[in-house]
Coordinates of all heavy atoms in Angstrom, one line a residue:
M15 N -25.6 50.2 35.9 CA -25.5 48.9 35.4 C -24.8 48.9 33.9 O -25.2 49.7 33.2 CB -27.0 48.2 35.2 CG -26.9 46.9 34.8 SD -28.4 46.0 35.1 CE -29.3 46.0 33.5
R16 N -23.8 48.1 33.8 CA -23.0 48.1 32.5 C -23.9 47.8 31.3 O -23.6 48.2 30.3 CB -21.8 47.2 32.7 CG -20.8 47.7 33.7 CD -19.4 47.0 33.6 NE -19.6 45.6 33.2 CZ -18.7 44.7 33.2 NH1 -17.4 45.1 33.7 NH2 -18.8 43.5 32.9
G17 N -24.9 47.0 31.5 CA -25.8 46.5 30.3 C -26.3 47.8 29.8 O -26.7 47.7 28.6
D18 N -26.7 48.8 30.4 CA -27.4 50.1 29.9 C -26.5 50.7 28.9 O -27.0 51.7 28.1 CB -27.8 51.0 31.0 CG -28.7 50.3 32.0 OD1 -29.4 49.3 31.5 OD2 -28.8 50.9 33.1
R19 N -25.1 50.5 28.9 CA -24.2 51.1 28.0 C -23.9 50.3 26.8 O -23.1 50.8 25.9 CB -23.0 51.4 28.6 CG -23.1 52.2 30.0 CD -21.9 52.3 30.7 NE -21.1 53.3 29.9 CZ -19.7 53.5 30.2 NH1 -19.0 52.6 31.0 NH2 -19.1 54.3 29.5
V20 N -24.6 49.2 26.5 CA -24.3 48.3 25.3 C -25.0 49.0 24.0 O -26.3 49.2 24.3 CB -24.7 47.0 25.6 CG1 -24.4 46.3 24.3 CG2 -23.8 46.4 26.6
P21 N -24.4 49.3 23.0 CA -25.0 49.9 21.9 C -25.7 48.9 21.0 O -25.6 47.8 21.0 CB -23.7 50.5 21.1 CG -22.7 49.6 21.4 CD -22.9 49.1 22.9
V22 N -26.6 49.6 20.1 CA -27.3 48.8 19.0 C -26.8 49.3 17.6 O -26.7 50.5 17.5 CB -28.8 49.1 19.3 CG1 -29.6 48.4 18.0 CG2 -29.2 48.6 20.6
A23 N -26.5 48.3 16.8 CA -26.1 48.8 15.4 C -27.3 48.8 14.5 O -28.3 47.9 14.6 CB -25.2 47.8 14.8
T24 N -27.6 49.7 13.7 CA -28.7 49.9 12.9 C -28.3 50.0 11.4 O -27.7 51.0 11.1 CB -29.5 51.1 13.3 OG1 -29.7 51.1 14.6 CG2 -30.8 51.2 12.5
P25 N -28.6 49.1 10.6 CA -28.4 49.1 9.1 C -29.4 50.1 8.5 O -30.5 50.2 9.0 CB -28.4 47.8 8.7 CG -29.6 47.2 9.6 CD -29.3 47.8 11.0
L26 N -29.0 50.4 7.3 CA -30.1 51.1 6.4 C -31.2 49.9 6.1 O -30.8 48.7 6.0 CB -29.4 51.7 5.2 CG -28.6 52.9 5.5 CD1 -28.0 53.3 4.1 CD2 -29.4 54.0 6.2
P27 N -32.4 50.3 5.8 CA -33.5 49.3 5.7 C -33.1 48.1 4.7 O -33.5 47.1 4.8 CB -34.5 50.0 5.3 CG -34.4 51.4 5.9 CD -32.8 51.5 5.8
T28 N -32.4 48.5 3.6 CA -32.2 47.6 2.4 C -30.8 46.9 2.5 O -30.5 46.2 1.5 CB -32.3 48.4 1.2 OG1 -31.5 49.4 1.1 CG2 -33.7 48.9 1.0
E29 N -30.0 47.2 3.5 CA -28.7 46.6 3.7 C -28.7 45.4 4.6 O -29.3 45.4 5.5 CB -27.7 47.7 4.0 CG -27.6 48.8 3.0 CD -26.5 49.8 3.5 OE1 -26.1 49.8 4.7 OE2 -26.2 50.6 2.5
L30 N -27.7 44.5 4.2 CA -27.5 43.4 5.0 C -26.5 43.7 6.1 O -25.4 44.3 5.9 CB -26.9 42.3 4.1 CG -26.6 41.0 4.9 CD1 -27.7 40.4 5.3 CD2 -25.8 40.1 3.9
L31 N -26.8 43.4 7.4 CA -26.0 43.8 8.6 C -25.6 42.3 8.9 O -26.4 41.2 9.2 CB -26.8 44.3 9.7 CG -26.1 44.7 10.9 CD1 -25.2 45.8 10.6 CD2 -27.2 45.1 11.9
R32 N -24.2 42.2 9.1 CA -23.7 41.0 9.5 C -22.8 41.1 10.8 O -22.1 42.1 11.0 CB -22.7 40.3 8.4 CG -23.4 40.0 7.2 CD -22.6 39.2 6.3 NE -21.2 39.4 6.3 CZ -20.4 39.1 5.4 NH1 -20.8 38.6 4.3 NH2 -19.0 39.2 5.5
L33 N -23.2 40.2 11.8 CA -22.6 40.3 13.1 C -21.7 39.1 13.4 O -22.2 38.0 13.0 CB -23.7 40.4 14.2 CG -24.8 41.4 14.0 CD1 -25.8 41.4 14.9 CD2 -24.1 42.8 14.1
T34 N -20.5 39.3 14.1 CA -19.8 38.1 14.5 C -19.5 38.5 15.9 O -18.9 39.3 16.4 CB -18.5 38.1 13.5 OG1 -18.9 38.0 12.2 CG2 -17.7 36.9 14.1
E35 N -19.9 37.6 16.8 CA -19.7 37.6 18.2 C -18.2 37.1 18.5 O -18.0 36.1 18.2 CB -20.7 36.9 19.0 CG -22.1 37.4 19.1 CD -22.9 36.7 19.9 OE1 -22.6 36.0 20.9 OE2 -24.2 36.8 19.7
C36 N -17.4 37.9 19.2 CA -16.2 37.4 19.7 C -16.3 37.0 21.1 O -16.9 37.7 22.0 CB -15.1 38.7 19.6 SG -14.9 39.3 17.9
E37 N -15.8 35.8 21.3 CA -15.9 35.2 22.7 C -15.3 36.3 23.7 O -14.2 36.6 23.6 CB -15.3 34.0 22.8 CG -15.4 33.2 24.2 CD -14.9 31.9 24.2 OE1 -14.6 31.4 23.1 OE2 -14.7 31.3 25.3
D38 N -16.0 36.7 24.9 CA -15.6 37.6 25.8 C -15.2 38.9 25.3 O -14.4 39.5 25.9 CB -14.7 36.9 26.6 CG -15.2 35.7 27.4 OD1 -16.2 35.6 27.9 OD2 -14.3 34.6 27.5
G39 N -15.5 39.2 24.1 CA -15.2 40.4 23.5 C -16.3 41.2 22.7 O -17.6 40.9 23.1
P40 N -16.0 41.9 21.8 CA -16.9 42.8 21.0 C -17.9 42.1 20.1 O -17.6 40.8 19.8 CB -16.2 43.7 20.3 CG -14.9 43.2 20.0 CD -14.7 42.1 21.2
V41 N -18.7 42.7 19.5 CA -19.5 42.0 18.4 C -18.9 42.9 17.1 O -18.8 44.2 17.2 CB -20.9 42.3 18.4 CG1 -21.6 42.0 17.1 CG2 -21.5 41.6 19.5
L42 N -18.4 42.2 16.1 CA -17.9 42.7 14.9 C -19.2 42.9 14.0 O -20.0 42.1 13.8 CB -16.9 41.8 14.2 CG -15.6 41.5 15.0 CD1 -14.8 40.7 14.2 CD2 -15.0 42.6 15.5
V43 N -19.3 44.2 13.5 CA -20.5 44.6 12.6 C -20.0 44.9 11.3 O -19.2 45.7 11.1 CB -21.2 45.7 13.3 CG1 -22.5 46.1 12.4 CG2 -21.6 45.3 14.7
R44 N -20.5 44.2 10.3 CA -20.2 44.6 8.9 C -21.6 45.0 8.2 O -22.7 44.5 8.5 CB -19.8 43.4 8.1 CG -18.3 42.9 8.6 CD -18.0 41.6 8.0 NE -16.7 41.1 8.4 CZ -16.4 40.5 9.4 NH1 -17.4 40.3 10.3 NH2 -15.1 40.3 9.8
G45 N -21.5 46.2 7.5 CA -22.7 46.6 6.7 C -23.5 47.7 7.4 O -24.5 48.1 6.9
A46 N -23.1 48.2 8.5 CA -23.8 49.2 9.4 C -23.3 50.5 8.8 O -22.3 50.7 8.4 CB -23.7 49.1 10.8
R47 N -24.3 51.5 8.8 CA -24.0 52.9 8.4 C -24.0 53.7 9.7 O -23.3 54.8 9.8 CB -25.0 53.4 7.5 CG -24.9 52.8 6.0 CD -23.8 53.2 5.3 NE -23.8 52.6 4.0 CZ -24.2 53.2 2.9 NH1 -24.7 54.4 3.0 NH2 -24.0 52.6 1.9
V48 N -24.8 53.4 10.7 CA -24.8 54.1 12.0 C -24.9 53.1 13.1 O -25.4 52.0 12.9 CB -25.9 55.1 12.0 CG1 -25.8 56.2 10.8 CG2 -27.4 54.5 11.9
V49 N -24.5 53.6 14.3 CA -24.8 52.8 15.5 C -25.5 53.7 16.4 O -25.0 54.9 16.5 CB -23.5 52.3 16.1 CG1 -23.6 51.8 17.6 CG2 -22.9 51.2 15.3
V50 N -26.5 53.4 17.0 CA -27.3 54.2 18.0 C -27.0 53.5 19.4 O -27.2 52.4 19.6 CB -28.9 54.1 17.7 CG1 -29.6 54.9 18.6 CG2 -29.1 54.6 16.4
D51 N -26.5 54.4 20.3 CA -26.1 53.8 21.5 C -27.4 53.9 22.4 O -28.4 54.3 22.1 CB -24.9 54.6 22.2 CG -25.2 56.0 22.4 OD1 -26.4 56.4 22.8 OD2 -24.2 56.8 22.8
A52 N -27.2 53.4 23.7 CA -28.2 53.1 24.6 C -28.9 54.5 25.0 O -30.1 54.5 25.5 CB -27.7 52.5 25.9
Q53 N -28.2 55.6 24.8 CA -28.8 56.9 25.2 C -29.5 57.5 24.0 O -29.9 58.8 24.0 CB -27.7 57.9 25.7 CG -27.2 57.5 27.1 CD -26.4 56.2 27.2 OE1 -25.4 56.0 26.2 NE2 -26.7 55.5 28.1
G54 N -29.4 56.8 22.8 CA -30.1 57.3 21.5 C -29.1 58.2 20.7 O -29.7 58.7 19.7
V55 N -27.9 58.2 21.0 CA -26.9 59.0 20.2 C -26.6 58.1 19.1 O -26.2 57.1 19.2 CB -25.7 59.4 21.2 CG1 -24.7 60.2 20.3 CG2 -26.2 60.2 22.3
T56 N -26.5 58.9 17.9 CA -26.2 58.2 16.6 C -24.8 58.4 16.3 O -24.1 59.5 16.4 CB -27.0 58.8 15.3 OG1 -28.3 58.6 15.8 CG2 -26.7 58.1 14.1
H57 N -24.0 57.3 15.9 CA -22.6 57.3 15.8 C -22.5 56.9 14.3 O -22.8 55.7 13.9 CB -21.8 56.4 16.6 CG -22.0 56.7 18.1 ND1 -21.2 57.7 18.8 CD2 -22.9 56.5 19.0 CE1 -21.5 57.8 19.9 NE2 -22.7 57.0 20.2
P58 N -21.9 57.8 13.5 CA -21.8 57.3 12.0 C -20.6 56.3 12.0 O -19.7 56.3 12.7 CB -21.4 58.6 11.3 CG -21.5 59.7 12.2 CD -21.7 59.1 13.6
V59 N -20.9 55.3 10.9 CA -19.9 54.1 10.8 C -19.2 54.6 9.5 O -19.8 54.7 8.4 CB -20.5 52.8 10.8 CG1 -19.6 51.7 10.3 CG2 -21.2 52.4 12.1
T60 N -17.8 54.7 9.6 CA -17.0 55.0 8.4 C -16.2 54.0 8.0 O -15.4 54.2 7.0 CB -16.3 56.3 8.8 OG1 -15.4 56.0 9.9 CG2 -17.2 57.5 9.2
R61 N -16.2 52.8 8.6 CA -15.3 51.7 8.2 C -16.2 50.5 7.8 O -17.3 50.3 8.3 CB -14.4 51.3 9.5 CG -13.6 52.5 9.8 CD -13.1 52.4 11.1 NE -12.2 51.2 11.1 CZ -11.5 50.9 12.4 NH1 -11.6 51.7 13.5 NH2 -10.7 49.8 12.4
P62 N -15.6 49.7 7.1 CA -16.4 48.4 6.6 C -16.8 47.5 7.8 O -17.8 46.9 7.8 CB -15.6 47.8 5.6 CG -14.3 48.6 5.4 CD -14.4 49.7 6.3
V63 N -15.9 47.5 8.6 CA -16.1 46.6 9.9 C -15.8 47.4 11.1 O -14.8 48.0 11.2 CB -15.2 45.4 9.9 CG1 -15.5 44.4 11.0 CG2 -15.4 44.5 8.6
V64 N -16.6 47.3 12.1 CA -16.5 48.0 13.3 C -16.8 47.1 14.5 O -17.5 46.1 14.4 CB -17.4 49.3 13.6 CG1 -17.0 50.4 12.7 CG2 -18.7 48.9 13.5
A65 N -16.1 47.3 15.7 CA -16.2 46.5 16.9 C -17.0 47.1 18.0 O -16.6 48.3 18.3 CB -14.8 46.1 17.4
L66 N -18.1 46.6 18.3 CA -19.0 47.1 19.3 C -18.7 46.5 20.6 O -18.7 45.3 20.7 CB -20.5 47.1 18.9 CG -21.0 47.7 17.6 CD1 -22.5 47.4 17.4 CD2 -20.8 49.2 17.7
C67 N -18.5 47.4 21.6 CA -18.3 47.0 22.9 C -19.5 46.2 23.6 O -20.7 46.7 23.4 CB -18.0 48.1 23.9 SG -17.8 47.7 25.7
R68 N -19.3 45.0 24.1 CA -20.4 44.3 24.8 C -20.3 44.3 26.2 O -21.1 43.9 27.0 CB -20.5 43.0 24.2 CG -21.1 42.7 22.8 CD -21.4 41.4 22.5 NE -20.4 40.5 22.6 CZ -20.5 39.1 22.8 NH1 -21.7 38.5 22.7 NH2 -19.5 38.4 22.6
C69 N -19.0 44.6 26.7 CA -18.8 44.7 28.1 C -19.3 45.9 28.9 O -19.4 45.9 30.1 CB -17.3 44.2 28.5 SG -16.2 45.6 28.2
G70 N -19.4 47.0 28.2 CA -19.7 48.2 28.8 C -18.6 48.9 29.5 O -18.8 50.1 30.0
A71 N -17.4 48.4 29.5 CA -16.3 49.0 30.1 C -15.4 49.9 29.2 O -14.4 50.6 29.8 CB -15.4 48.1 30.9
S72 N -15.6 49.9 28.0 CA -14.9 50.8 27.0 C -14.9 52.2 27.3 O -16.0 52.8 27.6 CB -15.3 50.5 25.5 OG -14.6 51.4 24.7
Q73 N -13.8 52.9 27.1 CA -13.7 54.4 27.2 C -14.1 55.1 26.1 O -14.1 56.3 26.0 CB -12.4 54.8 27.7 CG -12.1 54.3 29.2 CD -13.1 54.7 30.2 OE1 -13.1 55.8 30.4 NE2 -13.6 53.8 30.9
R74 N -14.4 54.3 25.0 CA -14.7 54.9 23.6 C -16.0 54.4 23.1 O -16.3 54.2 21.9 CB -13.5 54.4 22.7 CG -12.4 55.0 22.9 CD -11.2 54.7 21.8 NE -11.8 55.1 20.6 CZ -12.0 54.1 19.5 NH1 -11.7 52.9 19.7 NH2 -12.4 54.7 18.4
L75 N -17.0 54.1 24.1 CA -18.3 53.6 23.6 C -19.0 54.4 22.6 O -18.8 55.7 22.6 CB -19.3 53.7 24.9 CG -19.0 52.4 25.8 CD1 -19.9 52.7 27.2 CD2 -19.2 51.0 25.3
P76 N -19.6 53.8 21.6 CA -19.9 52.3 21.5 C -18.8 51.5 21.0 O -19.1 50.3 20.9 CB -21.1 52.4 20.6 CG -20.8 53.4 19.5 CD -20.1 54.6 20.3
W77 N -17.7 52.0 20.9 CA -16.6 51.2 20.1 C -15.8 50.4 21.3 O -15.6 50.9 22.4 CB -15.7 52.0 19.2 CG -16.4 53.0 18.6 CD1 -16.2 54.4 18.6 CD2 -17.4 52.8 17.5 NE1 -17.1 55.0 17.6 CE2 -17.8 54.1 17.0 CE3 -18.1 51.7 17.0 CZ2 -18.8 54.3 16.0 CZ3 -19.0 51.9 16.0 CH2 -19.4 53.1 15.5
C78 N -15.4 49.2 20.7 CA -14.5 48.4 21.6 C -13.1 49.1 21.9 O -12.6 49.4 20.6 CB -14.5 47.0 21.2 SG -13.3 46.0 21.9
D79 N -12.6 49.2 23.0 CA -11.2 49.8 23.1 C -10.2 48.7 23.5 O -9.0 49.0 23.9 CB -11.2 51.0 23.9 CG -11.4 50.8 25.4 OD1 -11.7 49.6 25.8 OD2 -11.4 51.7 26.1
G80 N -10.7 47.5 23.7 CA -9.9 46.3 24.1 C -9.7 46.1 25.5 O -9.3 45.1 26.0
V81 N -10.3 46.9 26.5 CA -10.3 46.8 27.9 C -11.1 45.5 28.3 O -10.7 44.9 29.4 CB -10.9 48.0 28.5 CG1 -12.5 48.0 28.5 CG2 -10.5 48.1 30.0
H82 N -11.9 45.0 27.5 CA -12.5 43.6 27.9 C -11.4 42.6 28.1 O -11.7 41.7 28.9 CB -13.4 43.2 26.7 CG -12.7 42.8 25.5 ND1 -12.6 43.7 24.4 CD2 -12.2 41.6 25.0 CE1 -11.9 43.3 23.5 NE2 -11.8 42.0 23.9
K83 N -10.3 42.7 27.6 CA -9.2 41.6 27.8 C -8.8 41.7 29.3 O -8.3 40.6 29.7 CB -8.1 42.0 26.8 CG -8.4 41.8 25.3 CD -7.3 42.2 24.5 CE -7.6 42.3 23.0 NZ -6.7 43.0 22.2
R84 N -9.0 42.8 29.9 CA -8.4 42.9 31.4 C -9.7 42.5 32.2 O -9.3 42.2 33.4 CB -8.0 44.3 31.6 CG -6.6 44.7 31.1 CD -6.1 45.9 31.6 NE -6.6 47.0 30.6 CZ -7.0 48.2 31.0 NH1 -7.0 48.5 32.2 NH2 -7.3 49.0 30.1
L85 N -10.8 42.2 31.8 CA -11.8 41.9 32.5 C -12.1 40.3 32.8 O -12.7 39.9 33.7 CB -13.2 42.3 32.0 CG -13.4 43.9 31.9 CD1 -14.6 44.2 31.2 CD2 -13.3 44.5 33.0
G86 N -11.4 39.6 31.9 CA -11.3 38.2 32.1 C -12.6 37.6 31.4 O -13.5 38.2 30.8
K87 N -12.6 36.2 31.4 CA -13.8 35.5 30.8 C -15.1 35.9 31.5 O -15.1 35.8 32.8 CB -13.5 34.0 30.7 CG -12.3 33.7 29.8 CD -12.5 32.1 29.5 CE -11.7 31.9 28.3 NZ -12.1 32.0 27.1
R88 N -16.3 35.9 30.7 CA -17.5 36.0 31.3 C -18.0 34.7 31.7 O -17.8 33.6 31.0 CB -18.4 36.6 30.3 CG -18.3 38.1 30.0 CD -19.4 38.7 29.3 NE -19.4 38.2 27.9 CZ -19.0 39.2 26.9 NH1 -18.8 40.4 27.2 NH2 -18.8 38.7 25.8
E89 N -18.8 34.4 32.7 CA -19.4 33.4 33.1 C -20.5 33.0 32.3 O -21.3 34.0 31.8 CB -19.9 33.4 34.5 CG -18.8 33.5 35.6 CD -19.4 33.5 37.0 OE1 -20.6 32.9 37.3 OE2 -18.7 33.9 37.9
T90 N -20.8 31.9 31.9 CA -21.9 31.5 31.0 C -22.9 30.5 31.7 O -22.4 29.7 32.5 CB -21.4 30.8 29.7 OG1 -20.7 29.6 30.2 CG2 -20.5 31.8 28.8
S91 N -24.1 30.7 31.4 CA -25.1 29.8 32.0 C -25.2 28.5 31.3 O -25.2 28.5 30.2 CB -26.5 30.5 31.9 OG -27.5 29.6 32.5
T92 N -25.0 27.5 32.1 CA -25.2 26.1 31.3 C -26.6 25.5 31.6 O -26.8 24.4 31.3 CB -24.1 25.1 31.8 OG1 -24.2 25.1 33.3 CG2 -22.7 25.6 31.5
G93 N -27.5 26.1 32.4 CA -28.8 25.7 32.4 C -28.9 24.7 33.5 O -29.3 23.8 34.0
Ligands
LIG120 S1 -15.9 44.5 24.4 FE1 -15.9 46.1 25.8 S2 -14.1 46.9 25.6 FE2 -14.0 45.3 24.1

């Protein structure tokens, strides 16, 4: 299941973590020092802003590599 591959960003306890969701794309993360993926592997963050894959199809997980653009729009639930 692709959802098992979606990473989690973890800020240091005293830092502000800012997230921006891109429609049908990654989450842009500002303020993170590390990202812990679904397998518990820690990835150091060396840039002020990083893009985390939400589609699970990236070949560079946990980072977005742009492949989501080829997957098309996600269906959304309207209730
Ligand atoms: S969100 Fe998955 S590759 Fe961009």
Side-chain angles (χ1 to χ4, degrees):
M15 185 164 104
R16 289 192 329 193
D18 293 343
R19 302 177 69 199
V20 176
V22 175
T24 306
L26 293 179
T28 59
E29 294 184 344
L30 179 64
L31 183 67
R32 295 192 334 196
L33 307 175
T34 304
E35 293 186 18
C36 299
E37 185 176 344
D38 297 317
V41 172
L42 302 180
V43 180
R44 292 173 176 81
R47 292 287 178 95
V48 298
V49 168
V50 180
D51 68 22
Q53 287 72 44
V55 177
T56 299
H57 302 268
V59 173
T60 59
R61 300 162 59 175
V63 181
V64 291
L66 296 181
C67 175
R68 288 196 298 163
C69 72
S72 173
Q73 296 301 303
R74 296 183 54 240
L75 287 173
W77 319 119
C78 169
D79 68 358
V81 75
H82 65 268
K83 295 173 188 168
R84 286 188 267 142
L85 299 178
K87 288 196 169 278
R88 283 190 288 253
E89 292 184 24
T90 57
S91 173
T92 57

